Amino acid sequence: MYLTRFRLNTARSGARKLLASPQAMHAAVMSSFPTLLPSDTSGPRVLWRVDRTSRAEVFLYIVSPPEPDLTHLVEQAGWSTQPEWQTHDYAPFLSRLARGDVWAFRLTANPVHSIRRKPGEPTKLTAHVTPRHQMGWLLSRQDAAGFRVVEKPVEQRRLPQGDEYELVVHNRQNRAFTKKTSKDGLVSLVTATFDGRLEVTDPDALRRTLTTGLGRAKAYGCGLMTLAPADSDR
């Protein structure tokens, strides 16, 4: 597995086009793997995420089984004078994960749930749209995903409810874009970014989460969780 970071030059029209369409970004990411063959989606797969930093920088992160070649992205949306991209072997880091480790994490996800509006009707996927429900979506998956979100000490909680965890939900978006294979040609996608701290409870399960993604809409920039030292300022 490989972890890659590429900085987008938002002054270029090619970068703005990619950032405006998850489908266009997905196509650009998958074009980085000319020899990649279809595989079992239950195993490691290509995941990607766009991060916007406090310094107005925009980075594309990719986790992938083969090493990517982002030459086309440099030409379309990068800088010819800047370092092109950084790719690291992910396996050594993954192998060092251990129960009890504490890490800062970031995840952009598509928090949805299945509901039935009337008895007898089929269930329908519906997006969680409030921070509280989006946070609940993540917390309900943490055990199976191999981690638990760190709880705040009681004296640091500012609210009687909803402030128990070292977890922030931000950059909540409701995006719509066209897709030829969609029934009506339009795809609606609700996303949210989670920043927080976690403790590793099951290293093998967490390794699967980091390499196969969490939740739905992985083709559209959701599901990629990354870890950083717990004292990271990101």
Side-chain angles (χ1 to χ4, degrees):
M1 294 298 294
Y2 294 89
L3 173 64
T4 300
R5 187 177 81 160
F6 171 73
R7 186 182 175 193
L8 290 147
N9 182 354
T10 55
R12 300 187 64 174
S13 60
R16 295 194 296 270
K17 177 182 177 181
L18 294 176
L19 291 170
S21 169
Q23 187 175 23
M25 184 67 82
H26 170 68
V29 168
M30 296 310 296
S31 295
S32 306
F33 307 98
T35 62
L36 186 65
L37 298 175
S39 61
D40 184 353
T41 56
S42 65
R45 57 174 297 162
V46 175
L47 302 168
W48 63 271
R49 186 183 76 222
V50 171
D51 280 7
R52 293 167 172 81
T53 72
S54 58
R55 293 183 295 176
E57 295 172 327
V58 180
F59 291 97
L60 170 67
Y61 287 88
I62 302 172
V63 165
S64 56
E67 185 173 358
D69 180 351
L70 304 188
T71 303
H72 65 295
L73 276 174
V74 174
E75 295 170 350
Q76 179 181 0
W79 282 270
S80 59
T81 58
Q82 294 279 337
E84 296 177 346
W85 65 86
Q86 301 86 43
T87 295
H88 303 281
D89 185 355
Y90 207 19
F93 172 79
L94 294 172
S95 67
R96 291 195 301 268
L97 292 174
R99 187 184 303 272
D101 286 351
V102 176
W103 296 92
F105 74 88
R106 174 167 291 174
L107 165 72
T108 294
N110 170 225
V112 297
H113 63 133
S114 297
I115 63 170
R116 180 177 285 109
R117 299 185 184 279
K118 295 180 181 178
E121 284 189 348
T123 59
K124 179 180 179 181
L125 278 178
T126 303
H128 289 299
V129 295
T130 67
R132 182 171 67 87
H133 286 109
Q134 290 170 343
M135 186 180 296
W137 174 89
L138 178 61
L139 294 173
S140 70
R141 284 158 176 76
Q142 60 181 342
D143 291 339
F147 67 90
R148 69 171 186 86
V149 178
V150 175
E151 294 188 25
K152 293 179 180 178
V154 175
E155 62 273 15
Q156 293 182 13
R157 301 176 187 178
R158 294 175 294 180
L159 300 172
Q161 283 186 313
D163 194 37
E164 300 95 336
Y165 298 94
E166 295 193 20
L167 179 62
V168 176
V169 184
H170 63 101
N171 195 29
R172 297 161 52 238
Q173 297 187 52
N174 189 347
R175 308 184 66 179
F177 54 95
T178 57
K179 181 181 178 183
K180 292 181 181 179
T181 57
S182 176
K183 187 175 181 180
D184 58 4
L186 187 68
V187 175
S188 180
L189 182 67
V190 172
T191 64
T193 298
F194 303 86
D195 280 347
R197 294 208 309 157
L198 62 77
E199 179 183 342
V200 181
T201 57
D202 184 335
D204 288 336
L206 183 55
R207 279 188 276 269
R208 286 194 297 272
T209 298
L210 296 175
T211 56
T212 64
L214 187 60
R216 302 174 64 90
K218 297 181 181 73
Y220 300 127
C222 297
L224 172 55
M225 174 182 280
T226 52
L227 305 182
D231 56 355
S232 172
D233 294 330
R234 65 171 187 161

